[in-house]
Amino acid sequence: MKKGFQLLAAALMMAGTTFAQVKWSADPAHTNARFSVEHLGISFVDGEFTKVNGAVDAKTDKDFNGAAINFSIDVNSIDTRIEARDGHLKSPDFFDAAKYGTMSLKSVSFTKVKGNQYKLVADLTIKDVTKRVTFDVVQNGGIIADPWGKTRAGFTAKAKINRMDFNLSYNDKLPSGISAVGNTVEIVINTELVKG
């Protein structure tokens, strides 16, 4: 009976270890969400959201396969280096930041493809719309110990979305029929995660 109890206790301890989560948080000083969109059919405008919060729960401290990911982005932190343009992007023509001040990204799955490459399937919420988006993710440089005694890992995630799918519906067409702003938006998220 005692031996059976010991085996059960050991099994429970192993199960607890198996399902333990390793928590990581995005370093706000080294995390941003960048975007690029076509302008007038001849060039591209880019910008970034400078205030991004994120949390990652990994299954182990050696690998991120199967991790759960939650990020939020402050829409009012948009920066395209032109104040008037930033104001227009915050308006109801685009993000309607006064009403929808936060975007969110929540993982459905995070799967290692090979080496340092992952595939992130996530629910992206912009304004009042949530759509499933697939990101190609690269882990940059592995897991390191920084000079200040913290453990860090860096990632870059890339995807393309159609802004119209998220009610970012401003569509000022020129007499030629070309849209002032393209529909396809390229997204690049860079983050440094800190363990603990």
Side-chain angles (χ1 to χ4, degrees):
M1 184 76 173
K2 185 177 179 182
K3 187 176 181 181
F5 178 77
Q6 289 173 336
L7 288 171
L8 177 61
L12 288 172
M13 286 178 64
M14 287 177 65
T17 302
T18 301
F19 294 105
Q21 297 292 301
V22 180
K23 295 190 177 297
W24 300 75
S25 58
D27 178 354
H30 300 98
T31 298
N32 62 32
R34 303 192 60 81
F35 62 89
S36 176
V37 64
E38 195 173 49
H39 180 244
L40 298 177
I42 59 170
S43 64
F44 288 83
V45 170
D46 67 274
E48 67 177 322
F49 296 92
T50 59
K51 293 182 180 179
V52 182
N53 293 310
V56 175
D57 290 334
K59 293 181 178 180
T60 76
D61 59 0
K62 305 296 183 188
D63 188 84
F64 289 86
N65 191 45
I69 299 166
N70 282 285
F71 272 67
S72 64
I73 298 170
D74 180 353
V75 174
N76 284 290
S77 71
I78 195 168
D79 181 11
T80 65
R81 303 173 302 280
I82 304 293
E83 187 175 349
R85 182 166 60 209
D86 294 345
H88 189 201
L89 288 169
K90 294 176 190 178
S91 78
D93 279 346
F94 289 97
F95 290 100
D96 199 358
K99 188 173 181 181
Y100 305 104
T102 303
M103 292 186 286
S104 67
L105 181 74
K106 184 175 182 179
S107 65
V108 175
S109 64
F110 189 66
T111 308
K112 178 174 277 192
V113 177
K114 63 178 179 179
N116 65 340
Q117 299 174 31
Y118 291 82
K119 190 76 68 177
L120 169 63
V121 178
D123 286 335
L124 175 62
T125 300
I126 302 175
K127 298 174 80 170
D128 57 345
V129 178
T130 300
K131 295 279 186 182
R132 197 150 287 181
V133 178
T134 299
F135 290 81
D136 293 318
V137 183
V138 173
Q139 184 176 355
N140 305 308
I143 298 171
I144 67 159
D146 71 18
W148 306 278
K150 294 183 178 180
T151 302
R152 293 178 181 260
F155 291 86
T156 298
K158 297 181 179 181
K160 292 182 181 181
I161 63 170
N162 185 329
R163 65 183 177 89
M164 295 297 186
D165 290 342
F166 294 90
N167 290 339
L168 304 174
S169 53
Y170 178 78
N171 193 25
D172 187 16
K173 287 190 178 289
L174 303 177
S176 63
I178 295 174
S179 295
V181 181
N183 290 346
T184 300
V185 182
E186 295 187 9
I187 300 170
V188 178
I189 300 172
N190 291 297
T191 186
E192 272 188 28
L193 301 178
V194 181
K195 183 181 171 184

